[in-house]
Amino acid sequence: MPRIPRPSLAGLGSGGLLAGVLLVLCAIASVQLGASIAKTVFDRIDPAAMTLLRLAFGAAVILLIARPRIRSWNGPAWRSMLFLGLSLASMNLIFYIALARIPIAVAVTLELIGPLILALVQSRRLVDFVWVGVAAIGVGVIGVQSFTGDLDPLGVVLALVAGGCWAAYILASASVGRHVAGVGGLAGALVIGTLAVLPFGLLPAIDAIGADPSVLLPAFLVAMLSSAIAYGLELLALRRVPTRVFGILMSLEPASAAIFAFLVIGEVLSGWDLLALALVIVASAGVAVTAARGRREPPPTSGAEPPGQVPPLP
């Protein structure tokens, strides 16, 4: 495995960390808006077909933008992209199937268990456990409110499995960022993810498009919001913040899901939901502040270049 270059001093300041936090927040909003739009068309397209179109459209756009230098990719780069591609495919497919069975807030809350466990495992300071605890309380409040109605058992299990895939995606994204410069690794992973979902979504996609070609428009919009834009922002963020901080910031996902579900689908927020939103926002802001003040280890950077040289971010 090639040696990972030491980042420049400019990447160690709080400005880089705060920029990474902002990138994560933008990615969260993009993903949840895309999820709400996707659920509005599940009556016209199968979740597996939507997953296939989302990954395929996202791969096409990122390939056109990145134009990756495939010949420069070595063994570790290909392995990291394979890990990321399979994580993307499984996370998206399983989550969309769950989303068709249970409410968005429930699915996102259950899925968040994976990143939260990852954040706890990677935590090194007591204050990190405190912020994770605050975030967990907020997620728990959302979960309790979401469980007031009847839930599909299979949907609940699938959302939990998607959470494990989400944790794997976080680790895989950091690995791709170390081994592949720019967003070329994202393009490769999206292609791999598309191929992995192809056996499950090809026939349903053909049927859906044949019955209603207009379904391609929301599918493309979902791909841009939830894949091309969101994953690009997350890869950039993971070069500026540690994966444990990234995992804790993901506590905003249920809050963002509730907001966009209200705006797009019309789900109404209760007082308990608003309390949960406040808790996860405080936890996310707190971990960003304490990380900026106390972090000493360098943030992840893109690698695959000689030691001492850090490739420019796209």
Short mmCIF file of all heavy atoms in Angstrom, two decimals, residues 9-73:
data_model
loop_
_atom_site.label_atom_id
_atom_site.label_comp_id
_atom_site.label_asym_id
_atom_site.label_seq_id
_atom_site.Cartn_x
_atom_site.Cartn_y
_atom_site.Cartn_z
N LEU A 9 0.19 22.45 6.03
CA LEU A 9 -0.28 23.11 7.23
C LEU A 9 -1.62 23.79 7.01
O LEU A 9 -2.42 23.92 7.95
CB LEU A 9 0.76 24.14 7.69
CG LEU A 9 2.10 23.56 8.16
CD1 LEU A 9 3.05 24.68 8.52
CD2 LEU A 9 1.91 22.61 9.32
N ALA A 10 -1.92 24.19 5.78
CA ALA A 10 -3.19 24.87 5.52
C ALA A 10 -4.37 23.96 5.76
O ALA A 10 -5.46 24.41 6.09
CB ALA A 10 -3.21 25.37 4.07
N GLY A 11 -4.17 22.66 5.59
CA GLY A 11 -5.28 21.73 5.79
C GLY A 11 -5.53 21.39 7.23
O GLY A 11 -6.49 20.70 7.55
N LEU A 12 -4.67 21.88 8.17
CA LEU A 12 -4.82 21.52 9.57
C LEU A 12 -5.60 22.55 10.36
O LEU A 12 -5.91 22.33 11.51
CB LEU A 12 -3.42 21.34 10.19
CG LEU A 12 -2.55 20.26 9.58
CD1 LEU A 12 -1.19 20.22 10.27
CD2 LEU A 12 -3.22 18.92 9.64
N GLY A 13 -5.88 23.71 9.81
CA GLY A 13 -6.54 24.77 10.56
C GLY A 13 -8.02 24.51 10.71
O GLY A 13 -8.61 23.64 10.08
N SER A 14 -8.65 25.32 11.57
CA SER A 14 -10.08 25.17 11.81
C SER A 14 -10.89 25.54 10.58
O SER A 14 -12.02 25.08 10.41
CB SER A 14 -10.50 26.04 13.00
OG SER A 14 -10.23 27.41 12.75
N GLY A 15 -10.32 26.41 9.69
CA GLY A 15 -11.05 26.77 8.49
C GLY A 15 -11.34 25.57 7.62
O GLY A 15 -12.44 25.44 7.07
N GLY A 16 -10.35 24.67 7.47
CA GLY A 16 -10.58 23.47 6.68
C GLY A 16 -11.64 22.58 7.30
O GLY A 16 -12.46 22.00 6.60
N LEU A 17 -11.62 22.47 8.62
CA LEU A 17 -12.62 21.67 9.31
C LEU A 17 -14.02 22.25 9.15
O LEU A 17 -14.98 21.54 8.86
CB LEU A 17 -12.26 21.56 10.80
CG LEU A 17 -13.24 20.75 11.65
CD1 LEU A 17 -13.25 19.29 11.24
CD2 LEU A 17 -12.91 20.89 13.11
N LEU A 18 -14.15 23.56 9.32
CA LEU A 18 -15.45 24.19 9.20
C LEU A 18 -15.98 24.09 7.77
O LEU A 18 -17.18 23.91 7.55
CB LEU A 18 -15.37 25.66 9.63
CG LEU A 18 -15.08 25.89 11.11
CD1 LEU A 18 -14.97 27.37 11.42
CD2 LEU A 18 -16.16 25.26 11.98
N ALA A 19 -15.08 24.19 6.80
CA ALA A 19 -15.49 23.99 5.41
C ALA A 19 -16.00 22.57 5.21
O ALA A 19 -16.99 22.34 4.51
CB ALA A 19 -14.32 24.29 4.47
N GLY A 20 -15.34 21.60 5.84
CA GLY A 20 -15.79 20.22 5.75
C GLY A 20 -17.16 20.03 6.37
O GLY A 20 -18.00 19.31 5.83
N VAL A 21 -17.41 20.68 7.50
CA VAL A 21 -18.72 20.60 8.15
C VAL A 21 -19.80 21.15 7.23
O VAL A 21 -20.89 20.57 7.08
CB VAL A 21 -18.70 21.35 9.50
CG1 VAL A 21 -20.12 21.48 10.06
CG2 VAL A 21 -17.80 20.63 10.50
N LEU A 22 -19.52 22.29 6.60
CA LEU A 22 -20.49 22.89 5.68
C LEU A 22 -20.77 21.97 4.50
O LEU A 22 -21.92 21.83 4.07
CB LEU A 22 -19.96 24.23 5.18
CG LEU A 22 -20.88 25.00 4.21
CD1 LEU A 22 -22.22 25.30 4.86
CD2 LEU A 22 -20.21 26.28 3.74
N LEU A 23 -19.74 21.31 3.99
CA LEU A 23 -19.93 20.36 2.90
C LEU A 23 -20.83 19.20 3.33
O LEU A 23 -21.69 18.74 2.56
CB LEU A 23 -18.58 19.84 2.43
CG LEU A 23 -17.69 20.81 1.65
CD1 LEU A 23 -16.29 20.25 1.49
CD2 LEU A 23 -18.30 21.14 0.30
N VAL A 24 -20.63 18.71 4.56
CA VAL A 24 -21.46 17.62 5.07
C VAL A 24 -22.92 18.06 5.16
O VAL A 24 -23.84 17.32 4.77
CB VAL A 24 -20.96 17.14 6.43
CG1 VAL A 24 -21.92 16.10 7.00
CG2 VAL A 24 -19.57 16.54 6.32
N LEU A 25 -23.17 19.26 5.67
CA LEU A 25 -24.54 19.75 5.82
C LEU A 25 -25.23 19.89 4.47
O LEU A 25 -26.40 19.55 4.32
CB LEU A 25 -24.53 21.10 6.55
CG LEU A 25 -24.02 21.07 8.00
CD1 LEU A 25 -24.06 22.47 8.61
CD2 LEU A 25 -24.81 20.09 8.85
N CYS A 26 -24.50 20.39 3.47
CA CYS A 26 -25.07 20.51 2.13
C CYS A 26 -25.37 19.13 1.55
O CYS A 26 -26.40 18.93 0.89
CB CYS A 26 -24.12 21.27 1.22
SG CYS A 26 -23.94 23.03 1.61
N ALA A 27 -24.49 18.17 1.81
CA ALA A 27 -24.71 16.81 1.32
C ALA A 27 -25.95 16.20 1.97
O ALA A 27 -26.74 15.51 1.31
CB ALA A 27 -23.48 15.95 1.60
N ILE A 28 -26.13 16.43 3.25
CA ILE A 28 -27.29 15.90 3.96
C ILE A 28 -28.58 16.44 3.36
O ILE A 28 -29.53 15.69 3.10
CB ILE A 28 -27.20 16.26 5.46
CG1 ILE A 28 -26.09 15.45 6.14
CG2 ILE A 28 -28.54 16.02 6.16
CD1 ILE A 28 -25.79 15.88 7.55
N ALA A 29 -28.64 17.75 3.13
CA ALA A 29 -29.83 18.36 2.56
C ALA A 29 -30.11 17.79 1.16
O ALA A 29 -31.26 17.49 0.82
CB ALA A 29 -29.67 19.87 2.49
N SER A 30 -29.07 17.62 0.38
CA SER A 30 -29.23 17.11 -0.97
C SER A 30 -29.77 15.67 -0.96
O SER A 30 -30.69 15.33 -1.72
CB SER A 30 -27.89 17.18 -1.70
OG SER A 30 -28.03 16.79 -3.05
N VAL A 31 -29.20 14.83 -0.09
CA VAL A 31 -29.64 13.44 -0.01
C VAL A 31 -31.10 13.33 0.40
O VAL A 31 -31.89 12.59 -0.20
CB VAL A 31 -28.75 12.66 0.98
CG1 VAL A 31 -29.39 11.31 1.32
CG2 VAL A 31 -27.37 12.43 0.39
N GLN A 32 -31.51 14.08 1.42
CA GLN A 32 -32.87 13.94 1.93
C GLN A 32 -33.91 14.54 1.01
O GLN A 32 -35.04 14.03 0.92
CB GLN A 32 -32.96 14.55 3.33
CG GLN A 32 -32.11 13.83 4.36
CD GLN A 32 -32.36 12.33 4.37
OE1 GLN A 32 -33.48 11.86 4.15
NE2 GLN A 32 -31.31 11.56 4.61
N LEU A 33 -33.57 15.60 0.30
CA LEU A 33 -34.49 16.11 -0.71
C LEU A 33 -34.67 15.07 -1.81
O LEU A 33 -35.79 14.82 -2.27
CB LEU A 33 -33.95 17.42 -1.30
CG LEU A 33 -34.77 18.02 -2.45
CD1 LEU A 33 -36.20 18.28 -2.02
CD2 LEU A 33 -34.12 19.31 -2.96
N GLY A 34 -33.57 14.44 -2.21
CA GLY A 34 -33.67 13.38 -3.21
C GLY A 34 -34.49 12.20 -2.74
O GLY A 34 -35.28 11.63 -3.51
N ALA A 35 -34.35 11.82 -1.45
CA ALA A 35 -35.12 10.70 -0.92
C ALA A 35 -36.61 11.00 -0.94
O ALA A 35 -37.43 10.13 -1.26
CB ALA A 35 -34.65 10.38 0.50
N SER A 36 -36.99 12.22 -0.58
CA SER A 36 -38.40 12.60 -0.58
C SER A 36 -38.97 12.57 -1.99
O SER A 36 -40.10 12.10 -2.21
CB SER A 36 -38.58 13.98 0.03
OG SER A 36 -38.22 13.99 1.40
N ILE A 37 -38.21 13.06 -2.96
CA ILE A 37 -38.67 13.03 -4.35
C ILE A 37 -38.80 11.59 -4.83
O ILE A 37 -39.77 11.23 -5.51
CB ILE A 37 -37.70 13.82 -5.25
CG1 ILE A 37 -37.74 15.30 -4.88
CG2 ILE A 37 -38.04 13.62 -6.72
CD1 ILE A 37 -36.71 16.14 -5.62
N ALA A 38 -37.84 10.74 -4.45
CA ALA A 38 -37.89 9.34 -4.89
C ALA A 38 -39.15 8.65 -4.37
O ALA A 38 -39.80 7.90 -5.11
CB ALA A 38 -36.65 8.60 -4.39
N LYS A 39 -39.52 8.92 -3.13
CA LYS A 39 -40.69 8.23 -2.57
C LYS A 39 -41.98 8.65 -3.25
O LYS A 39 -42.95 7.88 -3.27
CB LYS A 39 -40.77 8.50 -1.06
CG LYS A 39 -41.83 7.65 -0.38
CD LYS A 39 -41.66 7.61 1.12
CE LYS A 39 -42.67 6.65 1.74
NZ LYS A 39 -42.50 6.51 3.19
N THR A 40 -42.01 9.84 -3.83
CA THR A 40 -43.22 10.29 -4.50
C THR A 40 -43.50 9.52 -5.79
O THR A 40 -44.63 9.57 -6.30
CB THR A 40 -43.14 11.80 -4.82
OG1 THR A 40 -42.07 12.03 -5.76
CG2 THR A 40 -42.92 12.62 -3.57
N VAL A 41 -42.50 8.81 -6.33
CA VAL A 41 -42.69 8.10 -7.60
C VAL A 41 -42.59 6.60 -7.45
O VAL A 41 -42.52 5.87 -8.45
CB VAL A 41 -41.68 8.60 -8.67
CG1 VAL A 41 -41.95 10.04 -9.02
CG2 VAL A 41 -40.25 8.39 -8.21
N PHE A 42 -42.58 6.10 -6.21
CA PHE A 42 -42.50 4.66 -6.03
C PHE A 42 -43.76 3.95 -6.51
O PHE A 42 -43.77 2.72 -6.66
CB PHE A 42 -42.25 4.32 -4.55
CG PHE A 42 -40.79 4.41 -4.17
CD1 PHE A 42 -40.42 4.48 -2.83
CD2 PHE A 42 -39.80 4.42 -5.13
CE1 PHE A 42 -39.09 4.57 -2.47
CE2 PHE A 42 -38.46 4.51 -4.78
CZ PHE A 42 -38.10 4.58 -3.45
N ASP A 43 -44.82 4.69 -6.74
CA ASP A 43 -46.02 4.08 -7.31
C ASP A 43 -45.89 3.88 -8.81
O ASP A 43 -46.69 3.18 -9.43
CB ASP A 43 -47.26 4.94 -7.01
CG ASP A 43 -47.12 6.35 -7.56
OD1 ASP A 43 -45.97 6.80 -7.77
OD2 ASP A 43 -48.16 6.99 -7.79
N ARG A 44 -44.84 4.48 -9.40
CA ARG A 44 -44.61 4.34 -10.84
C ARG A 44 -43.34 3.59 -11.19
O ARG A 44 -43.17 3.16 -12.33
CB ARG A 44 -44.56 5.73 -11.50
CG ARG A 44 -45.88 6.47 -11.49
CD ARG A 44 -45.77 7.74 -12.32
NE ARG A 44 -44.97 8.77 -11.65
CZ ARG A 44 -44.39 9.77 -12.29
NH1 ARG A 44 -44.44 9.84 -13.61
NH2 ARG A 44 -43.71 10.68 -11.62
N ILE A 45 -42.45 3.44 -10.22
CA ILE A 45 -41.18 2.77 -10.49
C ILE A 45 -40.75 1.96 -9.27
O ILE A 45 -40.88 2.42 -8.12
CB ILE A 45 -40.09 3.78 -10.89
CG1 ILE A 45 -38.80 3.07 -11.30
CG2 ILE A 45 -39.84 4.79 -9.78
CD1 ILE A 45 -37.78 3.99 -11.93
N ASP A 46 -40.25 0.77 -9.51
CA ASP A 46 -39.80 -0.12 -8.44
C ASP A 46 -38.56 0.46 -7.76
O ASP A 46 -37.73 1.11 -8.41
CB ASP A 46 -39.46 -1.49 -9.04
CG ASP A 46 -39.06 -2.50 -7.99
OD1 ASP A 46 -39.95 -3.11 -7.38
OD2 ASP A 46 -37.83 -2.67 -7.80
N PRO A 47 -38.42 0.27 -6.43
CA PRO A 47 -37.23 0.79 -5.74
C PRO A 47 -35.91 0.32 -6.34
O PRO A 47 -34.94 1.08 -6.40
CB PRO A 47 -37.40 0.27 -4.30
CG PRO A 47 -38.88 0.15 -4.13
CD PRO A 47 -39.39 -0.28 -5.48
N ALA A 48 -35.85 -0.94 -6.79
CA ALA A 48 -34.62 -1.43 -7.41
C ALA A 48 -34.34 -0.70 -8.71
O ALA A 48 -33.18 -0.38 -9.04
CB ALA A 48 -34.72 -2.94 -7.65
N ALA A 49 -35.39 -0.42 -9.49
CA ALA A 49 -35.22 0.32 -10.74
C ALA A 49 -34.77 1.75 -10.46
O ALA A 49 -33.91 2.29 -11.16
CB ALA A 49 -36.52 0.31 -11.54
N MET A 50 -35.35 2.38 -9.44
CA MET A 50 -34.93 3.73 -9.07
C MET A 50 -33.47 3.75 -8.64
O MET A 50 -32.71 4.66 -8.98
CB MET A 50 -35.82 4.26 -7.95
CG MET A 50 -35.37 5.61 -7.37
SD MET A 50 -35.34 6.93 -8.60
CE MET A 50 -37.09 7.35 -8.65
N THR A 51 -33.05 2.73 -7.88
CA THR A 51 -31.65 2.64 -7.46
C THR A 51 -30.72 2.54 -8.66
O THR A 51 -29.69 3.21 -8.73
CB THR A 51 -31.44 1.42 -6.55
OG1 THR A 51 -32.33 1.50 -5.43
CG2 THR A 51 -30.01 1.36 -6.04
N LEU A 52 -31.10 1.69 -9.63
CA LEU A 52 -30.28 1.52 -10.82
C LEU A 52 -30.16 2.83 -11.60
O LEU A 52 -29.05 3.23 -12.00
CB LEU A 52 -30.87 0.43 -11.72
CG LEU A 52 -30.17 0.20 -13.05
CD1 LEU A 52 -28.73 -0.26 -12.85
CD2 LEU A 52 -30.95 -0.81 -13.90
N LEU A 53 -31.28 3.50 -11.84
CA LEU A 53 -31.25 4.75 -12.60
C LEU A 53 -30.48 5.83 -11.85
O LEU A 53 -29.73 6.60 -12.46
CB LEU A 53 -32.68 5.21 -12.89
CG LEU A 53 -33.48 4.32 -13.84
CD1 LEU A 53 -34.91 4.85 -13.96
CD2 LEU A 53 -32.83 4.25 -15.21
N ARG A 54 -30.66 5.88 -10.53
CA ARG A 54 -29.95 6.87 -9.73
C ARG A 54 -28.44 6.69 -9.86
O ARG A 54 -27.70 7.65 -10.10
CB ARG A 54 -30.38 6.76 -8.28
CG ARG A 54 -29.48 7.48 -7.30
CD ARG A 54 -29.94 7.27 -5.87
NE ARG A 54 -28.93 7.71 -4.92
CZ ARG A 54 -29.10 7.70 -3.60
NH1 ARG A 54 -30.25 7.29 -3.09
NH2 ARG A 54 -28.13 8.10 -2.80
N LEU A 55 -27.96 5.48 -9.70
CA LEU A 55 -26.52 5.22 -9.77
C LEU A 55 -25.99 5.41 -11.20
O LEU A 55 -24.90 5.95 -11.39
CB LEU A 55 -26.22 3.81 -9.28
CG LEU A 55 -26.46 3.56 -7.79
CD1 LEU A 55 -26.23 2.08 -7.46
CD2 LEU A 55 -25.57 4.43 -6.93
N ALA A 56 -26.79 4.96 -12.19
CA ALA A 56 -26.33 5.07 -13.58
C ALA A 56 -26.23 6.52 -14.02
O ALA A 56 -25.23 6.94 -14.62
CB ALA A 56 -27.29 4.30 -14.49
N PHE A 57 -27.25 7.32 -13.73
CA PHE A 57 -27.20 8.73 -14.08
C PHE A 57 -26.07 9.44 -13.33
O PHE A 57 -25.35 10.26 -13.91
CB PHE A 57 -28.54 9.40 -13.75
CG PHE A 57 -29.63 9.13 -14.74
CD1 PHE A 57 -30.94 8.88 -14.32
CD2 PHE A 57 -29.36 9.12 -16.10
CE1 PHE A 57 -31.95 8.63 -15.23
CE2 PHE A 57 -30.37 8.86 -17.02
CZ PHE A 57 -31.67 8.62 -16.59
N GLY A 58 -25.93 9.12 -12.06
CA GLY A 58 -24.86 9.73 -11.27
C GLY A 58 -23.49 9.39 -11.82
O GLY A 58 -22.61 10.25 -11.92
N ALA A 59 -23.30 8.13 -12.20
CA ALA A 59 -22.02 7.70 -12.76
C ALA A 59 -21.72 8.43 -14.06
O ALA A 59 -20.58 8.87 -14.30
CB ALA A 59 -22.02 6.18 -12.99
N ALA A 60 -22.73 8.57 -14.92
CA ALA A 60 -22.52 9.23 -16.20
C ALA A 60 -22.10 10.68 -16.02
O ALA A 60 -21.17 11.16 -16.69
CB ALA A 60 -23.80 9.15 -17.04
N VAL A 61 -22.76 11.38 -15.11
CA VAL A 61 -22.45 12.80 -14.90
C VAL A 61 -21.06 12.96 -14.31
O VAL A 61 -20.27 13.80 -14.75
CB VAL A 61 -23.51 13.44 -14.00
CG1 VAL A 61 -23.08 14.85 -13.57
CG2 VAL A 61 -24.85 13.50 -14.72
N ILE A 62 -20.73 12.16 -13.29
CA ILE A 62 -19.42 12.28 -12.64
C ILE A 62 -18.30 11.91 -13.61
O ILE A 62 -17.22 12.52 -13.62
CB ILE A 62 -19.35 11.41 -11.38
CG1 ILE A 62 -20.33 11.94 -10.34
CG2 ILE A 62 -17.95 11.40 -10.80
CD1 ILE A 62 -20.02 13.33 -9.83
N LEU A 63 -18.52 10.91 -14.47
CA LEU A 63 -17.51 10.54 -15.45
C LEU A 63 -17.25 11.68 -16.43
O LEU A 63 -16.10 11.95 -16.80
CB LEU A 63 -17.96 9.29 -16.22
CG LEU A 63 -17.79 7.95 -15.51
CD1 LEU A 63 -18.46 6.83 -16.31
CD2 LEU A 63 -16.32 7.63 -15.28
N LEU A 64 -18.30 12.37 -16.84
CA LEU A 64 -18.13 13.49 -17.75
C LEU A 64 -17.37 14.64 -17.09
O LEU A 64 -16.57 15.33 -17.73
CB LEU A 64 -19.50 13.99 -18.24
CG LEU A 64 -20.23 13.08 -19.22
CD1 LEU A 64 -21.62 13.64 -19.51
CD2 LEU A 64 -19.44 12.94 -20.52
N ILE A 65 -17.63 14.85 -15.79
CA ILE A 65 -16.98 15.95 -15.08
C ILE A 65 -15.54 15.59 -14.72
O ILE A 65 -14.61 16.38 -14.94
CB ILE A 65 -17.77 16.30 -13.81
CG1 ILE A 65 -19.16 16.84 -14.19
CG2 ILE A 65 -17.02 17.33 -12.97
CD1 ILE A 65 -20.06 17.10 -13.00
N ALA A 66 -15.34 14.41 -14.16
CA ALA A 66 -14.03 14.04 -13.62
C ALA A 66 -13.03 13.59 -14.70
O ALA A 66 -11.85 13.89 -14.62
CB ALA A 66 -14.19 12.94 -12.57
N ARG A 67 -13.54 12.85 -15.70
CA ARG A 67 -12.67 12.27 -16.72
C ARG A 67 -11.43 11.63 -16.06
O ARG A 67 -10.30 12.06 -16.27
CB ARG A 67 -12.24 13.32 -17.73
CG ARG A 67 -13.40 13.89 -18.53
CD ARG A 67 -12.95 14.87 -19.58
NE ARG A 67 -14.08 15.37 -20.33
CZ ARG A 67 -13.99 16.25 -21.34
NH1 ARG A 67 -12.78 16.70 -21.68
NH2 ARG A 67 -15.06 16.66 -21.95
N PRO A 68 -11.67 10.62 -15.23
CA PRO A 68 -10.57 10.06 -14.42
C PRO A 68 -9.48 9.41 -15.25
O PRO A 68 -9.72 8.90 -16.35
CB PRO A 68 -11.30 9.01 -13.57
CG PRO A 68 -12.49 8.62 -14.36
CD PRO A 68 -12.92 9.88 -15.06
N ARG A 69 -8.27 9.45 -14.71
CA ARG A 69 -7.12 8.80 -15.35
C ARG A 69 -7.05 7.36 -14.85
O ARG A 69 -6.36 7.04 -13.90
CB ARG A 69 -5.85 9.57 -15.02
CG ARG A 69 -5.81 10.99 -15.58
CD ARG A 69 -4.58 11.73 -15.12
NE ARG A 69 -4.60 11.96 -13.68
CZ ARG A 69 -3.61 12.53 -13.01
NH1 ARG A 69 -2.50 12.91 -13.65
NH2 ARG A 69 -3.71 12.72 -11.72
N ILE A 70 -7.77 6.50 -15.54
CA ILE A 70 -7.92 5.12 -15.08
C ILE A 70 -6.58 4.40 -15.03
O ILE A 70 -6.33 3.59 -14.13
CB ILE A 70 -8.90 4.37 -16.00
CG1 ILE A 70 -10.28 5.05 -15.95
CG2 ILE A 70 -9.03 2.92 -15.58
CD1 ILE A 70 -11.31 4.42 -16.87
N ARG A 71 -5.68 4.68 -15.95
CA ARG A 71 -4.40 3.98 -16.00
C ARG A 71 -3.53 4.29 -14.78
O ARG A 71 -2.59 3.54 -14.49
CB ARG A 71 -3.66 4.34 -17.28
CG ARG A 71 -4.35 3.84 -18.56
CD ARG A 71 -3.53 4.20 -19.78
NE ARG A 71 -4.18 3.71 -21.01
CZ ARG A 71 -3.70 3.90 -22.23
NH1 ARG A 71 -2.55 4.58 -22.39
NH2 ARG A 71 -4.33 3.42 -23.28
N SER A 72 -3.82 5.39 -14.10
CA SER A 72 -3.02 5.74 -12.93
C SER A 72 -3.47 5.03 -11.67
O SER A 72 -2.81 5.11 -10.63
CB SER A 72 -3.07 7.26 -12.70
OG SER A 72 -4.39 7.67 -12.33
N TRP A 73 -4.60 4.33 -11.72
CA TRP A 73 -5.12 3.66 -10.54
C TRP A 73 -4.35 2.37 -10.28
O TRP A 73 -4.20 1.52 -11.18
CB TRP A 73 -6.61 3.35 -10.70
CG TRP A 73 -7.45 4.59 -10.77
CD1 TRP A 73 -7.09 5.85 -10.42
CD2 TRP A 73 -8.80 4.67 -11.25
NE1 TRP A 73 -8.13 6.73 -10.64
CE2 TRP A 73 -9.19 6.04 -11.15
CE3 TRP A 73 -9.71 3.76 -11.76
CZ2 TRP A 73 -10.45 6.48 -11.53
CZ3 TRP A 73 -10.97 4.19 -12.13
CH2 TRP A 73 -11.34 5.54 -12.01
#
